Amino acid sequence: MAAPAAPTTPRTIRVAEPSLTSLEEQFLLDAYRSTFVSGSLGPHLSRFEQTFSSRVAGCAHGVAVCNGTVAIHLLLKSLDVQPGEEVLLPDFNYVANAAATVEAGAVPVLVDCDAWGRIDPEAVRAAAKPGVTRFLWVVHLYGLPCDMDALQAVADDVGLTILEDCAEAHGALYKGKTLGSFGLASTYSFFANKIITTGEGGMLCTNDADLAQRARHLSRHAMSPTQRFFHTEVGYNYRLSNLLCAIGCAQVERFDEIVAGRRALIEFYRSELDGIVAGVHINPQVSDDTVLSPWLAYVLLPDRLVPRRDDMLAALRSEFHVDTRPFFYPMHTMPPYAACETATREGRGKRNAGAVRISGRGFNIPTSSDMSLEDRTRVVEAVAEVLRRYAVER
């Protein structure tokens, strides 16, 4: 008698997968066959800069670079940030803004957040030092627009220049206006898990023609435009290849389709999971006049379930083969930034309790424009089972 077949392990549903079609393949082959494969040359580079900056960022100019972190660094250097100059940025945040700020020679000041994880405008007011603090990084984390009216009012009052990080907010709107077009300039990431991806890549977008020209100059080793191989200052090799820009061109063409697929998935998650356990929310819409970017779907837990979050993530991975990722750690809890000043509404040097609280309260679940009904149903059933289990066991 034949031995029974061994049980098969279900395929793990990854937390993020890019949406790639034959159009991306066609554009990539076009770039490949053109032989313009590197940066600064090739028609796909300028096309990607123009179409992305106008279509997605609402800006007149775009400078494509090799990733989102160098876009941040390039912007600060293009604005001539000075050694020791302070830059305000969210404490609850991915590490890129802080790392690039340090690398540019400036000093990060880590500002606390509101209940939704957005940088707190009144904490920004308390943190700013006239004549010392010049820039404010507004990071639209997890695709959730920050309160731009309040932040602009504070910036005007205390003399700050707003820079937007829209790495996770492609296509989000605040009062009908595209995120990325509020500040002096904005930066984007095209990593594989972003809405638009080139595999690796980034862009600096702005309506300031002089700033765009300055950034492009620095991104190409600061080579003289009139004298080849003569470099006017220290520059950087931050170019994005024409091959990757070709993928980006196709992604921009498909932007509405990609966004619609991700939005539909998040609405499905919301309809099936929001409130399934008291206090649990899926990508909550914070106001009627904002449109969230459908970057990654996320689950927000009530306080009583926060101590069990990591147990939930382990169960989803080991038992149900559903990949997840926890929210980011606050900057001040990590060794490179532990000595940075923190700031709350009460002023500097206070504990950023908001950042600590939101960091442990959430996690991302699989998000893709092309996720099948079978997979999205499997994710919902797994998350619902784990939430109910730990709500009972708490």
Side-chain angles (χ1 to χ4, degrees):
M1 178 180 294
T8 58
T9 301
R11 173 184 58 86
T12 296
I13 302 175
R14 293 187 293 174
V15 75
E17 293 187 357
S19 176
L20 299 172
T21 67
S22 59
L23 186 64
E24 284 81 4
E25 182 180 22
Q26 174 193 325
F27 277 46
L28 184 59
L29 283 172
D30 288 345
Y32 170 78
R33 289 167 179 155
S34 76
T35 74
F36 291 113
V37 297
S38 297
S40 75
L41 292 173
H44 293 94
L45 171 62
S46 57
R47 178 178 174 181
F48 183 41
E49 290 178 333
Q50 291 164 7
T51 57
F52 181 88
S53 60
S54 61
R55 170 70 182 84
V56 181
C59 292
H61 309 281
V63 180
V65 292
C66 51
N67 61 62
T69 304
V70 302
I72 297 169
H73 180 255
L74 178 64
L75 178 53
L76 290 172
K77 297 300 289 186
S78 299
L79 292 169
D80 195 29
V81 69
Q82 295 299 303
E85 197 167 44
E86 293 183 344
V87 177
L88 305 185
L89 54 90
D91 192 2
F92 176 56
N93 190 17
Y94 183 58
V95 72
N97 299 86
T101 296
V102 170
E103 189 63 26
V107 178
V109 177
L110 307 176
V111 180
D112 207 2
C113 61
D114 64 15
W116 299 105
R118 306 175 301 173
I119 193 166
D120 183 343
E122 290 308 311
V124 170
R125 186 186 299 277
K129 287 184 177 179
V132 178
T133 315
R134 184 172 159 209
F135 298 112
L136 165 64
W137 272 112
V138 175
V139 183
H140 305 290
L141 204 62
Y142 298 116
L144 182 63
C146 294
D147 187 342
M148 295 308 301
D149 283 349
L151 287 167
Q152 189 63 66
V154 171
D156 291 343
D157 286 347
V158 299
L160 295 174
T161 297
I162 289 179
L163 311 175
E164 293 180 83
D165 182 342
C166 301
E168 301 171 7
H170 302 181
L173 303 176
Y174 177 84
K175 295 190 175 180
K177 186 176 178 180
T178 307
L179 294 190
S181 62
F182 285 86
L184 174 61
S186 52
T187 59
Y188 292 82
S189 167
F190 306 128
F191 184 63
N193 65 17
K194 300 303 189 290
I195 294 177
I196 283 182
T197 182
T198 57
E200 287 283 2
M203 195 174 294
L204 184 163
C205 296
T206 182
N207 285 312
D208 187 317
D210 291 338
L211 176 58
Q213 183 178 4
R214 171 76 176 148
R216 184 169 285 108
H217 176 64
L218 289 178
S219 74
R220 300 175 180 180
H221 284 301
M223 185 186 296
S224 168
T226 58
Q227 191 174 355
R228 289 189 69 193
F229 304 115
F230 185 86
H231 303 268
T232 60
E233 58 189 300
V234 175
Y236 312 95
N237 183 10
Y238 282 172
R239 299 167 296 191
L240 186 63
S241 80
N242 191 56
L243 288 175
L244 296 185
C245 288
I247 299 174
C249 289
Q251 292 268 287
V252 173
E253 282 201 14
R254 297 182 52 235
F255 183 67
D256 290 343
E257 169 196 340
I258 293 169
V259 167
R262 295 171 83 106
R263 282 220 168 98
L265 174 63
I266 290 173
E267 286 302 322
F268 177 76
Y269 284 153
R270 188 181 283 122
S271 68
E272 298 293 321
L273 293 171
D274 203 272
I276 196 167
V277 167
V280 168
H281 296 291
I282 310 297
N283 292 59
Q285 186 85 12
V286 295
S287 64
D288 293 337
D289 54 11
T290 64
V291 176
L292 278 65
S293 166
W295 178 50
L296 288 180
Y298 58 89
V299 178
L300 284 177
L301 301 171
D303 289 343
R304 69 183 189 282
L305 293 184
V306 168
R308 305 307 303 273
R309 184 200 63 177
D310 291 351
D311 296 330
M312 294 180 192
L313 304 193
L316 285 167
R317 179 77 181 185
S318 62
E319 296 180 40
F320 299 96
H321 303 279
V322 171
D323 194 16
T324 61
R325 48 181 276 175
F327 275 5
F328 299 128
Y329 292 97
M331 292 292 104
H332 78 267
T333 66
M334 293 184 279
Y337 311 104
C340 292
E341 283 200 77
T342 56
T344 69
R345 290 184 170 207
E346 286 70 45
R348 295 199 181 197
K350 308 294 183 180
R351 181 175 180 268
N352 284 354
V356 172
R357 180 174 180 269
I358 194 72
S359 173
R361 192 181 165 210
F363 61 94
N364 299 107
I365 55 179
T367 312
S368 168
S369 296
D370 308 320
M371 188 180 290
S372 67
L373 179 60
E374 178 184 0
D375 279 356
R376 65 179 65 187
T377 300
R378 193 174 133 204
V379 171
V380 163
E381 290 174 349
V383 173
E385 166 63 25
V386 169
L387 287 170
R388 289 187 179 117
R389 178 192 307 173
Y390 285 96
V392 170
E393 292 180 2
R394 70 182 187 278

